Amino acid sequence: MAPAVADQVCLMRSAERLTDHLETPALDDRSYRVIRLSNQLEAMLVHDADTDKASAAMDVNVGAFSDREDMPGMAHAVEHLLFMGTKKYPTENDYSQYLSSHSGYSNAYTASTSTNYYFEVDATARDGQASPFYGALDRFSQFFVAPLFLESTLDRELQAVDSENKKNLQNDMWRLNQLGRSTGSPRHPYHKFSTGNLETLRDLPRARGIDVRKEFISFYESHYSANRMKLVVLGREPLDELESWVVELFSGVQDKDLRQPRWDDEQPLTDEQLLTQCFAKPVMDARLLELTIPSLNEEYLYESQPSRYIGHLIGHEGPGSILAYIKENGWATELSAGQSQVGPGASLFEISVRLTEDGLKNYRQVVKVIFQYISLIREQPPLEWIVDEIKGMAEVEFRFKQKTGASKFTSRISSVMQNPLPRQWLLSGSSLIRRFDAKAIDEALGFFRPDNFRLMLVSQNLGPELDQRERWYGTEYHMERIPQDFLDEIERAARVKGEERLPSLHLPHKNDFIPTNFDVERRETKTPAKVPKLIRHDDGARIWWKKDDSFWVPKGNVVFRMANPIVDATPANLIKTALYCELINDALVEYAYDAEIAGLGYDLRPGRFGLSVQISGYNDKMGVLLDKVLSTMRNLEVRSDRFEVVKERLLEEYQNWDYQPPYKQIGDYGEWLGSDTAWSNDQYLAELPYVDVDEVRRFIPSLLAQFHVEGLAHGNLHKDEALRMANLVESRLRPRLTPYSQLPVRRSLILPSGSNFVYSRHLKDPLNINNCIAYGLYIGDRADRSLRARLLLFAQMTEEPVFDQLRTKEQLGYIVFSGEWSLATTQSYRVLVQSERTPEHIEKRIDVLLANFGNVLTRMTDDEFETHKRSLVQRRLQKLKNLGQETLRFRQHIGSQYYDFEQVDRDVAAIEPLSKKDLADFYEHYIRPESATRAKLSVHLYAQKSVTELLLGQVADSGNLAIVPLLERFFASCDVEANDEKLRQRFENIHVTQTDPDIILETLRLYLSADLKLDEVKVALVVEHGEMLLRSMAPEQVDGTLSPHPLVKTSVESNQSDGFDAGQSQSPTIIDDVRQFKASLAVTPGTRPVRPLCDFEELTPKL
């Protein structure tokens, strides 16, 4: 229980009040207080009377830069282990269970110099009980008071760290970032590998005789101190009550009076690394040029932030800019520039250019253009009017800043609190520029010299031989000094003056898109409207509108969907539509950039059955931008040279789709298989090379000739403005409007009762080691509210157990999701896991988990059942935080064609009367693996090689001991601590590719039972995993006749041991022919409004 009010005055004496007055946005109705406890822990308290979610975040000023050199990833491992039980709450998942039962969740991340922990939970107490926030805060505080670092969870959490690392091994962002770090100065911690893996955190340290658990505890004790911690607490409670909680719960955090970790004597890049060029090969098809410039440290320059002036000019995309010039020459499509603080006392400014094929050949020219533009900036004194524009827009953005999610806010602000800002500027300090400082800008520009940079060129097709491999991610690269002739050319470019400079380069003009009208007509309403009005409804158009009555910002969101059935009629048509949209975007880059930096943007893209255009931002000049976009759509001149650039870029995107992480691919396969009419990425990719510029020119008139318009105008917009913008679509594009009745009916496929389908694909990335499964159980009609309520409640009940069992306990993978999943007209229950284990194995484990959940449901008390219902209701009733969230909700309901704007309330009404019997019946019919009425479709994505197979390619194929390194990795994955000497003796006459698999497995059994003296159950499990591994490594040697040991259970026997008989479930039907599979299934009824559309109409214009 929270302390009594009588004790609060005494408790609050232990805290020093730093400020009650923070600089806040104009619409911010929260109250704030910043305090410092007697142990030097600093905290911001936030009272939000209307919040439905409470949250806290702790930022600890220690991160990966403080890792031991010989144990990379220590800070990250401590972040994982800290959650695993405390002295006061020793059960390892007590914290996650508590949060889950109160509609909450938690997360954490490790950065270079800080580790950030956060959670959110229901903000309101139930039925006279104590606030759930206090209970969550109590559990959270104990991580920093008395964590246990439970021995029983150590290997599991290190496996989780390893899985997290492996999910990123083929991610170019991680690979290139680490390459930049690894090739930095070895004397600065910037060079370290921050994530860690099993090798760095467990296997190698143990081989050196290190007790890794003691090392993690030592790291915690050496670096976690109250004076390094910044806490943010946000709740409905008054500030005094929040303060009393913080004092009570966090005063026990020990203050060790530690100094801030700093490395002021070293820099990330020194003379050894500067003036080098690195050629690197990415996983995806991409061409990037990156310049990295050690820059002015702005740690204490928060009032002027001079790098924003430089970044604004170098990164500008309007006329006269670097991008405008290199884009017109066909060398590049994108450019970004900006500075980052890599640690105390060190900053790096990065310029990144996305090159074309021709730009790759001319990368030297691109670099010289950049330095010519830098010379242009340096040629004249800093311009105050440019800083005033940046400063003015920053003030506008802060003034009208809307709320974000509770945990997003607390996590971000706790991190900001580590900066040396005046405490009253904690909310605004990093956002606002407070003064023009020409001297600071000149000083910052002094770092932009031709002798103070390094260059990285990224492409799959590079000239030099890539003779090096980055240690942690395996990125192939070649590093060399920049040739002197190239340096001489750069030097000349940096010194160029006046007429010698490229005439196309010049500084930007004044921005006419900067908004000036911020009037908001605020009419208070007792209950904000949940439904937009249908203000135009005829054969050719439906226009929806809602004047903002909740957020009161001078912004709006307008979206028009132009439905034309030809777009999705064939994959080729959608590709032509995508090319058309990209050509429009390409043509508008210079014009739209001014709008973008003035807080107004547009989005044009193809979609199912048409294309959509959205304008979002300050409503002052919204109509101007929409007019320009529509005019360009109508009058586009398709240039052959720009078409080739755009086609090249689009081809990259479709090719790179196959190199995404598997869990990002698998949903598209599920949608393709479950939809009546849908195309796959392979089908799009097959068409793209054959589409030429003339085809697109011929296609555009038919695309715009006839369509049906459905639009939404939402925000600080009157009805007449919404109608005018709808009319603008018609007047600019001049189509013949298509009656809605002529549009295709959207339907999904019905999986028959008792079905069990499996669709399998091999991933195209040869170096990806992760498999993935999407295990989907068909539930039924998406519009069936009673069925949906049961599905949502079941998903709520299983969310934490699925994660805890499959990820935390079984360590099947780092990526584990479960919950409701919808297609156009159907709803399903889905479990998604990305793992090194095979999809078949994961599927068995999901079956076991779901089979055992029947017992959980039977044993569940009425109170526990009602707690789950309340938690789900609270989650469904979660408040919208800003205008964008409400627009998105409206868009989803309009786009679904159900127009179920009041779905949340209808869900709650259907959830509240549910009984345990309702859920038991639902489980028996749709979920229980043995059920004869269950319908399942699983998608299996297979890695081309396992981690062991990749290792095999790296182990010399000589000597019989080549199997030993493989077994050491294998035992680590099975949580078996090997005896190296006995392992070598036992396997001295065995070779993985030459010895009969039966002999390998029998030797393995003997080693586990006789040498390691493991119990029979453990031996059986490890041997079963070993047999699966052998099958994946050498399928030509290990066939179905491999005889199992009596202790190695078959899949049926193994599942029986978990209370589940797989033999009673339907054998899977393998989908070999997708068209035939779809043709064999019935389709659902089509999408239809949940209410007659006339109920939403307000057709009489009203201002």
Side-chain angles (χ1 to χ4, degrees), residues 532-767:
K533 298 294 185 180
L534 187 55
I535 59 174
R536 178 177 168 186
H537 188 196
D538 52 47
D539 263 357
R542 293 175 179 172
I543 306 300
W544 300 84
W545 163 78
K546 184 194 170 188
K547 174 76 169 67
D548 174 39
D549 56 3
S550 302
F551 306 106
W552 313 116
V553 289
K555 295 184 176 183
N557 299 302
V558 177
V559 59
F560 295 101
R561 184 174 74 99
M562 290 153 274
N564 186 334
I566 70 167
V567 169
D568 214 38
T570 66
N573 277 5
L574 193 134
I575 287 295
K576 293 174 207 172
T577 307
L579 284 165
Y580 167 68
C581 291
E582 288 300 312
L583 286 163
I584 296 294
N585 294 333
D586 185 72
L588 286 171
V589 166
E590 293 183 29
Y591 179 87
Y593 185 72
D594 275 352
E596 180 184 332
I597 59 178
L600 181 63
Y602 84 97
D603 180 68
L604 175 68
R605 65 179 61 198
R608 296 294 303 275
F609 311 123
L611 66 160
S612 67
V613 60
Q614 177 171 339
I615 310 292
S616 298
Y618 294 100
N619 58 277
D620 184 21
K621 297 179 174 67
M622 183 173 280
V624 176
L625 181 58
L626 177 62
D627 192 2
K628 180 66 175 180
V629 172
L630 295 171
S631 298
T632 306
M633 289 173 65
R634 183 69 192 180
N635 302 315
L636 177 70
E637 179 187 346
V638 181
R639 290 170 43 184
S640 297
D641 59 336
R642 299 313 301 166
F643 175 83
E644 292 304 323
V645 169
V646 163
K647 181 179 175 181
E648 177 187 300
R649 185 171 62 195
L650 197 63
L651 185 61
E652 280 178 25
E653 291 177 7
Y654 280 105
Q655 289 172 335
N656 288 338
W657 185 92
D658 288 307
Y659 289 82
Q660 297 179 101
Y663 77 95
K664 291 188 177 180
Q665 298 182 37
I666 205 163
D668 286 356
Y669 284 117
E671 185 173 354
W672 176 48
L673 293 166
S675 300
D676 182 27
T677 56
W679 310 112
S680 69
N681 188 75
D682 286 345
Q683 290 169 315
Y684 294 136
L685 190 54
E687 295 297 330
L688 183 50
Y690 299 101
V691 178
D692 61 31
V693 64
D694 290 328
E695 243 184 305
V696 171
R697 286 171 178 153
R698 289 192 297 269
F699 179 74
I700 292 172
S702 58
L703 177 65
L704 300 180
Q706 186 174 0
F707 52 75
H708 180 274
V709 178
E710 185 148 29
L712 167 68
H714 176 224
N716 190 38
L717 299 163
H718 290 289
K719 182 192 293 187
D720 60 332
E721 294 175 286
L723 291 169
R724 277 201 301 271
M725 283 191 271
N727 292 335
L728 199 61
V729 174
E730 290 185 60
S731 63
R732 288 291 181 264
L733 299 182
R734 302 190 296 276
R736 185 163 69 86
L737 293 179
T738 303
Y740 188 79
S741 59
Q742 294 182 21
L743 298 183
V745 177
R746 297 178 60 191
R747 304 174 189 271
S748 302
L749 300 172
I750 299 172
L751 295 185
S753 292
S755 60
N756 182 8
F757 293 104
V758 172
Y759 176 76
S760 301
R761 292 280 298 240
H762 274 88
L763 296 160
K764 292 187 179 179
D765 182 355
L767 297 180

Side-chain angles (χ1 to χ4, degrees), residues 768-803:
N768 173 71
I769 61 172
N770 291 302
N771 305 297
C772 193
I773 178 174
Y775 176 111
L777 300 178
Y778 176 83
I779 304 302
D781 186 351
R782 178 172 167 175
D784 186 327
R785 296 199 189 279
S786 175
L787 205 52
R788 173 177 164 82
R790 288 160 170 78
L791 170 59
L792 292 174
L793 184 54
F794 181 79
Q796 155 70 26
M797 289 177 169
T798 55
E799 181 179 27
E800 196 277 336
V802 166
F803 188 87

